[in-house]
Amino acid sequence: MTVLTKIQIHDLTALRHALHRRPEISGEEAETADRIAQELEALGADRIWRQLGGHGVAAEFAGAEEGPTVLLRCELDGLPILEISDLPYRSEVEGKGHLCGHDGHMVSLLGVATGLARRPAKGRVILLFQPAEETGAGAKAVIEDPRWPEIRPDVAFAYHNVPGRPLGEIGLRPGPGNCASRGMQILLEGKSSHAAAPEDGVSPGPAMAALMQALPGLGTGAIGEKDFALSTLTHAWLGEPTFGIAPGQGELRVTLRCMTDDRMEALVADAQALVDQHCADLSVDIAWHDIFLSVTNDAETTEMARKVALSQDRPVHEMPTPMRWSEDFGRIGGDGAQATMLYVGAGENHPQLHNPDYDFPDALIPIMTDMFLGIVDHILGRAQA
């Protein structure tokens, strides 16, 4: 039985629908952040930080005695994807949608804030509503904010809903949980010429053709294997769409993905070596985008989450392999906290993340409120009513 009342669940669900109507993409979450801060003020947070690393918001709920800091983190941003839906609360912003479930993640943490009317016995709970997760820029910006030392946790938890798994199932995996990834943008410049005299120019075409074959070949192994790597060609552009010009410019974009940060360093070096090999006659500029560190789940905090899930009679899925998709929660663990991400089933037949017909399942709101409050109780205890 959930700690939330039926009225509280109703109100949180209505708030989730309101947030769903007004999605804001990475770096633009001002309206969402203001709404979250207002809700936290109304719920009696002891302290609120605004504009953390951009539009981030954090709230403190302090215990009566000294103790560790437990951080629970969610995301503010939506996606630049058109929502295709008949929902009465579908996105009102053309071309943007909460199609990853961050609206539900936010409201789950507001459910925790509701439950924290009865404070922890010791230490403090920090609820972090992080900006710009989808681009990999948000956690880095929050950690680089000069106020971060006031917030820095000892332990940290987050969750992501996972379509394709049974609703409410708690997926856990100590060690690598989400892959590291980064986008490689390769800008190539030679010299254009008349299409009747291509020998007078230097076309990036042959180098691009070679790289389009070679870069995907960097992929090795299967997810879960130590040497796993995936190199995915995502974009190619060569010159202008004409018949009279042999092109002088081109661009390739590739996403590199692997399980660990060390493996990523090697994969980056291999990709750069291929560019050097095939582009000797061209001017080359390489830029890196959407840089995600791997999420490496701490064994001790993962075990805490397992005990809490079992105590609440939640089914636990011991994940044999990491998620191939990335999550910038890895930076919080990389900053020194014992950190664990939970992978929570959204339903076996649920539309996949980032699909235009995806919607967060409201039934997860009380489940994850209870789960996170259970983790808080396990670590900090609760003050007597």
Side-chain angles (χ1 to χ4, degrees), residues 10-320:
H10 176 273
D11 289 347
L12 288 167
T13 301
L15 176 58
R16 205 279 292 181
H17 296 174
L19 292 170
H20 190 91
R21 290 189 184 96
R22 301 295 303 168
E24 296 176 296
I25 62 173
S26 300
E28 300 179 2
E29 310 97 330
E31 179 183 313
T32 304
D34 284 346
R35 179 65 183 271
I36 293 298
Q38 290 170 19
E39 295 291 333
L40 290 166
E41 287 176 355
L43 290 166
D46 297 310
R47 185 177 180 185
I48 296 175
W49 294 263
R50 296 172 181 257
Q51 297 182 325
L52 279 168
H55 295 300
V57 177
E60 177 186 84
F61 293 81
E65 300 178 12
E66 292 295 317
T69 295
V70 176
L71 181 142
L72 305 176
R73 170 271 197 185
C74 67
E75 319 91 326
L76 291 168
D77 51 341
L79 288 158
I81 300 173
L82 176 68
E83 181 177 5
I84 299 174
S85 167
D86 294 326
L87 295 169
Y89 52 86
R90 65 184 174 273
S91 173
E92 297 172 354
V93 184
E94 185 70 19
K96 300 177 184 179
H98 268 300
L99 302 175
C100 202
H102 294 178
D103 51 346
H105 299 173
M106 284 185 270
V107 171
S108 298
L109 257 62
L110 290 174
V112 173
T114 301
L116 287 173
R118 185 159 67 92
R119 295 294 197 264
K122 61 182 179 180
R124 61 179 185 157
V125 179
I126 300 289
L127 304 181
L128 173 61
F129 298 77
Q130 181 205 298
E133 188 282 325
E134 294 290 353
T135 63
K140 181 175 186 291
V142 166
I143 290 170
E144 291 176 350
D145 191 292
R147 295 167 292 170
W148 176 249
E150 303 168 15
I151 295 168
R152 181 177 282 116
D154 299 294
V155 296
F157 294 86
Y159 89 94
H160 210 292
N161 72 95
V162 181
R165 298 301 306 181
L167 183 71
E169 172 194 82
I170 308 298
L172 296 171
R173 189 177 198 275
N178 294 80
C179 284
S181 70
R182 63 181 64 193
M184 183 182 192
Q185 181 186 25
I186 307 164
L187 298 171
L188 303 173
E189 184 153 359
K191 178 185 176 185
S192 64
S193 63
H194 198 291
E199 69 276 10
D200 290 340
V202 180
S203 172
M208 289 179 63
L211 288 172
M212 289 171 73
Q213 293 289 323
L215 285 168
L218 294 175
T220 58
I223 186 68
E225 296 176 2
K226 182 178 179 181
D227 199 46
F228 166 75
L230 183 64
S231 177
T232 306
L233 183 69
T234 62
H235 175 75
W237 166 77
L238 176 64
E240 298 301 324
T242 69
F243 294 101
I245 303 170
Q249 295 179 319
E251 177 183 348
L252 286 176
R253 296 193 182 198
V254 179
T255 299
L256 305 179
R257 193 177 306 275
C258 51
M259 285 202 311
T260 66
D261 297 324
D262 288 344
R263 180 70 179 91
M264 178 58 74
E265 290 183 14
L267 185 58
V268 165
D270 290 344
Q272 290 178 320
L274 284 176
V275 174
D276 293 341
Q277 175 186 341
H278 292 289
C279 302
D281 296 333
L282 300 164
S283 175
V284 180
D285 183 29
I286 296 176
W288 299 96
H289 305 273
D290 292 13
I291 298 172
F292 291 83
L293 302 184
S294 76
V295 173
T296 302
N297 294 315
D298 176 78
E300 184 178 356
T301 49
T302 301
E303 181 58 26
M304 292 178 191
R306 180 180 291 105
K307 288 179 179 178
V308 171
L310 293 173
S311 73
Q312 296 181 359
D313 295 324
R314 300 249 52 94
V316 172
H317 172 50
E318 305 292 349
M319 295 165 51

